[in-house]
Amino acid sequence: MGRFTIQRVGFIGLAVVALVVVAPILFIVGVIVVRGMSAISWEFITQMPHDGMKAGGIMPAIVGTIVLTLGTAIAAIPVGVGGAVYLAEYARDTVFTRAIRLAIVNLAGIPSVVYGLFGLGLFVLFLQFGTSILAGSLTLAIMTLPVIISASEEALRAVPTEYRTVIASLGGTRWQGIRYVVLPQALPGIITGVILGLLRAAGETAPILFTVSAFFLPRLPQSPFDRTMALPYHLYVISTQVPGMPVEVQYGTALVLLGLVLSLNVVATLIRGHFRRRRQW
């Protein structure tokens, strides 16, 4: 068998594997879109729920999800990127730094329900934030940190060493090189890590179940110490805890959550593409 034949067989095998992975996802998305479109309306998006959540809209859950995602970004991005800068640019290869990297990898594999219990113990009970947006955002931020740190560190390490050498030869400090050269060049990779972390946070149920989500709260939050509804937990509630819930409302809620996550992904991808076009290597 010639090498070109082997290569063609390999490509066909990869295409089949990709189809096996993608086809079920497309099928599930298609079912959600087809069965959920009938529930989508302006009233469904903008009204408060009533009649045991069987009627009205899901406005509080949409706002709650957006607020929690923004709170997660505010808390996680500075800490995650800062930690990545330290590990990639300042930390020496010691037993301590290797232990930190191992801990980050292990934290990325911890089930989300464990983060929820940790947030309940630390933020809700010990720090007495109560079940609030603040407690939920901080819990989600801790959950997303491993993804942001790992992706950001890899992006920083991918920037050629010559950039740092040129800055040093011109008399610049290490921080000036990081601030004005390394970080802008690594920004597309950093944004990728941030996207992955925030998308996971936007769709999680277990962490917000213990720290912020309300079963039924037909009003918008007024402060970071308020509870709020959120789309993932609301979808779980109307699918399992509310008898006689119309199926189209369940699929409509799932469609809104899917659309919100995809919109966040599209916006972040456009931003990443803009900075990637400006990259000089």
Side-chain angles (χ1 to χ4, degrees):
M1 183 180 294
R3 58 181 182 178
F4 294 108
T5 303
I6 296 175
Q7 176 178 297
R8 183 174 301 175
V9 171
F11 285 155
I12 294 174
L14 290 174
V16 171
V17 171
L19 181 63
V20 170
V21 173
V22 173
I25 298 175
L26 294 178
F27 175 75
I28 293 172
V29 172
V31 171
I32 293 175
V33 171
V34 171
R35 303 196 64 174
M37 282 301 297
S38 60
I40 301 299
S41 65
W42 181 249
E43 292 74 16
F44 185 72
I45 301 295
T46 60
Q47 286 186 357
M48 302 294 173
H50 56 84
D51 192 20
M53 294 184 288
K54 297 179 182 178
I58 56 173
M59 182 65 174
I62 296 174
V63 173
T65 302
I66 294 174
V67 169
L68 284 171
T69 304
L70 290 176
T72 302
I74 293 171
I77 293 176
V79 177
V81 176
V85 169
Y86 170 75
L87 291 173
E89 303 294 332
Y90 290 100
R92 298 180 179 179
D93 187 16
T94 64
V95 175
F96 177 68
T97 56
R98 288 196 293 269
I100 291 176
R101 290 190 175 93
L102 179 61
I104 291 172
V105 172
N106 290 332
L107 286 173
I110 292 178
S112 59
V113 66
V114 177
Y115 285 104
L117 292 171
F118 174 80
L120 173 65
L122 178 60
F123 301 120
V124 177
L125 300 178
F126 182 73
L127 296 179
Q128 297 184 354
F129 292 157
T131 51
S132 62
I133 293 173
L134 180 60
S137 297
L138 292 176
T139 302
L140 291 172
I142 292 176
M143 187 186 69
T144 60
L145 277 178
V147 176
I148 295 177
I149 292 175
S150 298
S152 300
E153 184 183 0
E154 290 300 321
L156 290 167
R157 290 184 178 276
V159 177
T161 307
E162 289 77 9
Y163 284 85
R164 302 170 179 83
T165 305
V166 170
I167 291 296
S169 66
L170 294 175
T173 63
R174 176 177 290 186
W175 170 244
Q176 287 176 326
I178 295 171
R179 166 67 178 82
Y180 296 105
V181 177
V182 177
L183 276 176
Q185 296 298 318
L187 202 55
I190 293 174
I191 293 176
T192 299
V194 171
I195 293 171
L196 294 175
L198 293 183
L199 290 181
R200 182 186 178 189
E204 282 291 348
T205 302
I208 61 176
L209 169 64
F210 294 105
T211 56
V212 57
S213 279
F215 184 90
F216 178 64
L217 191 65
R219 62 177 177 83
L220 300 181
Q222 304 297 317
S223 78
F225 294 96
D226 282 351
R227 301 181 69 184
T228 184
M229 298 177 69
L231 282 171
Y233 182 59
H234 180 66
L235 180 58
Y236 165 76
V237 167
I238 64 176
S239 300
T240 62
Q241 306 297 316
V242 181
M245 174 62 64
V247 175
E248 59 270 15
V249 174
Q250 300 175 23
Y251 278 99
T253 304
L255 181 58
V256 171
L257 177 59
L258 181 63
L260 185 63
V261 171
L262 290 179
S263 298
L264 176 64
N265 197 357
V266 169
V267 171
T269 301
L270 292 175
I271 297 173
R272 179 182 60 189
H274 170 72
F275 286 104
R276 181 171 290 173
R277 286 191 296 270
R278 296 175 57 185
R279 192 165 62 183
Q280 299 176 2
W281 55 278

